[in-house]
């Protein structure tokens, strides 16, 4: 049977966005500036519980973070700040939401008023008839533009408020057998955007030394990026732990690509090496061990 948007069950959507802003932002100014990551997520959980929402706020990262440190989305010394904000209400469709456009407006105000983002560096996609439509192709184009414009030392922010979904895994890289997805406004004709695609087009392409923060306010959002470290505000975790469902093979390939680029540049030889290693990475545990051995060897060459 064909995919249908889930019923919103009378909810406006964007519960996590609203909870985060209640903790961080009031009357166009930052508040509670000294809260830690743990405190922010825990307070969000309390606000969600009060609204009878069952979501548990979750933080995932490409490196292990000290979640007891002060919460921030703009590191000190950040260069240019850029953002992509996507709000999809699925106007006129079954499963229509009602709060996602408001989420984008509120997050945009927060970024500009409290974090110093400039409007010309904020890309907005909404199905409101006034902004660029959040179609499959337009979303991917926004990812690519952000990556192309971002330089070392810059920071970026990606916010998505809309429906999220799951599709049967098509490349055997998910422990649970499913890819998490973002659902563009034209999903019926263009399809959903798999987590693999978000990783390949956005997360994995960010330049060295840049920072990307993503706020994913949708179903299945906790695992949509499949990053290796995670913290859940469930009252039990006190520090980040290893995510057993992370795309470690992709992280390894990113490390290989970075090292090969450093050694061989971006020419034909580098492309051939990456294709060969990419094939071995998909060849089971032995291929992964061989690839990581080569990564270590190349790393030792670079560090001499």
């Amino acid at each position: 049977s064909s995919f249908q948007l889930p019923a919103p069950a009378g909810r406006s959507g964007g519960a996590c966005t609203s909870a985060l802003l209640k903790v961080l932002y009031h009357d166009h100014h930052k508040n509670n500036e000294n809260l830690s990551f743990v405190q922010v997520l825990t307070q969000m959980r309390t606000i969600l519980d009060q609204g009878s929402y069952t979501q548990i706020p979750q933080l995932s990262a490409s490196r292990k973070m000290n979640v007891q440190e002060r919460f921030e989305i703009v590191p000190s010394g950040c260069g240019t700040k850029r953002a992509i904000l996507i709000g999809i209400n699925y106007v006129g469709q079954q499963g229509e939401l009602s709060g996602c456009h408001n989420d984008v407006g509120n997050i945009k105000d927060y970024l500009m008023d409290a974090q110093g983002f400039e409007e010309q560096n904020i890309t907005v996609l909404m199905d409101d008839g006034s902004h660029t439509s959040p179609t499959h192709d337009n979303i991917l184009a926004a990812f690519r533009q952000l990556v192309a414009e971002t330089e070392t030392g810059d920071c970026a922010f990606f916010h998505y408020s809309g429906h999220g979904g799951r599709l049967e895994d098509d490349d055997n890289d998910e422990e649970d057998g499913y890819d998490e997805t973002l659902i563009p406004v034209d999903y019926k004709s263009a399809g959903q955007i798999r987590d693999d695609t978000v990783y390949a087009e956005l997360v994995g392409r960010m330049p060295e030394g840049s920072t990307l923060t993503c706020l994913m306010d949708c179903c299945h959002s906790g695992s949509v990026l499949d990053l290796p470290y995670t913290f859940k505000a469930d009252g039990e975790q006190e520090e980040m732990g290893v995510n057993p469902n992370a795309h470690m093979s992709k992280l390894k390939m990113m490390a290989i690509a970075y090292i090969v680029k450093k050694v061989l540049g971006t020419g034909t030889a580098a492309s051939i090496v990456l294709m060969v290693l990419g094939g071995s990475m998909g060849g089971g545990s032995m291929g992964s061990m061989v690839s990581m051995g080569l990564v270590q060897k190349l790393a030792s060459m670079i560090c001499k």
Side-chain angles (χ1 to χ4, degrees), residues 62-75:
S62 59
R63 65 186 187 281
K64 190 171 184 178
M65 299 169 54
N66 180 0
V67 291
Q68 302 296 338
E69 291 183 348
R70 186 172 68 86
F71 178 93
E72 63 177 12
I73 63 170
V74 176

Side-chain angles (χ1 to χ4, degrees), residues 19-304:
L20 177 65
L21 292 178
K22 285 180 180 178
V23 175
L24 297 177
Y25 184 62
H26 177 70
D27 196 24
H28 293 272
H29 294 287
K30 286 189 288 187
N31 56 0
N32 300 322
E33 292 188 50
N34 294 318
L35 293 177
S36 67
F37 284 96
V38 172
Q39 290 172 322
V40 169
L41 268 66
T42 301
Q43 290 189 25
M44 287 176 63
R45 175 75 187 279
T46 298
I47 293 170
L48 290 167
D49 284 345
Q50 291 171 348
S52 298
Y53 291 94
T54 59
Q55 294 101 316
I56 299 176
Q58 179 173 318
L59 173 69
S60 59
S62 59
R63 65 186 187 281
K64 190 171 184 178
M65 299 169 54
N66 180 0
V67 291
Q68 302 296 338
E69 291 183 348
R70 186 172 68 86
F71 178 93
E72 63 177 12
I73 63 170
V74 176
S76 59
C78 172
T80 303
K81 306 167 187 175
R82 298 181 179 85
I84 300 172
L85 310 180
I86 300 176
I88 313 178
N89 278 345
Y90 309 91
V91 177
Q93 301 189 53
Q94 181 182 358
E96 181 174 345
L97 299 172
S98 61
C100 300
H101 297 167
N102 290 336
D103 289 340
V104 166
N106 292 333
I107 283 290
K108 182 179 178 183
D109 286 345
Y110 168 70
L111 293 178
M112 294 177 64
D113 294 340
Q115 298 294 342
F117 283 67
E118 297 181 354
E119 187 163 18
Q120 64 265 29
N121 292 327
I122 299 177
T123 299
V124 175
L125 285 75
M126 293 196 295
D127 56 338
D128 62 351
S130 299
H131 294 83
T132 300
S133 180
T135 63
H136 183 285
D137 289 350
N138 286 344
I139 290 173
L140 295 188
F143 289 170
R144 293 164 186 156
Q145 180 181 358
L146 179 68
V147 169
E149 293 178 346
T150 301
E151 299 178 352
T152 298
D154 290 348
C155 56
F157 185 88
F158 170 45
H159 172 245
Y160 175 86
S161 181
H163 279 300
R166 301 172 83 209
L167 289 174
E168 188 172 343
D169 182 18
D170 62 352
D171 58 5
N172 299 313
D173 68 342
E174 297 281 359
E175 290 289 335
D176 62 0
Y178 289 91
D179 284 326
E180 289 71 37
T181 65
L182 306 182
I183 303 180
V185 71
D186 62 341
Y187 72 93
K188 291 182 180 178
S189 59
Q192 302 175 46
I193 299 176
R194 294 178 183 266
D195 52 3
D196 295 349
T197 302
V198 177
Y199 206 104
E201 295 289 352
L202 180 62
V203 179
R205 291 183 180 272
M206 291 296 291
E208 176 190 6
S210 62
T211 300
L212 172 66
T213 301
C214 301
L215 173 57
M216 314 297 287
D217 198 348
C218 58
C219 292
H220 312 293
S221 59
S223 54
V224 73
L225 298 180
D226 285 327
L227 295 175
Y229 299 100
T230 185
F231 170 80
K232 275 189 174 183
D234 56 6
E236 299 180 6
Q237 256 186 288
E238 295 183 358
E239 62 180 18
M240 270 198 158
V242 175
N243 176 11
N245 298 319
H247 285 176
M248 295 307 295
S249 62
K250 293 181 181 178
L251 289 174
K252 292 174 185 176
M253 199 62 217
M254 286 168 58
I256 291 170
Y258 171 72
I259 293 172
V260 169
K261 181 179 178 182
K262 285 287 188 183
V263 176
L264 300 177
T266 57
T268 303
S271 298
I272 293 173
V273 169
L274 288 175
M275 282 191 292
V276 171
L277 292 178
S280 70
M281 291 291 284
S285 58
M286 182 59 69
S288 296
M289 285 190 290
V290 171
S291 296
M292 288 312 294
L294 181 56
V295 168
Q296 293 169 355
K297 183 176 181 179
L298 289 173
S300 66
M301 292 168 53
I302 294 172
C303 295
K304 283 183 178 178

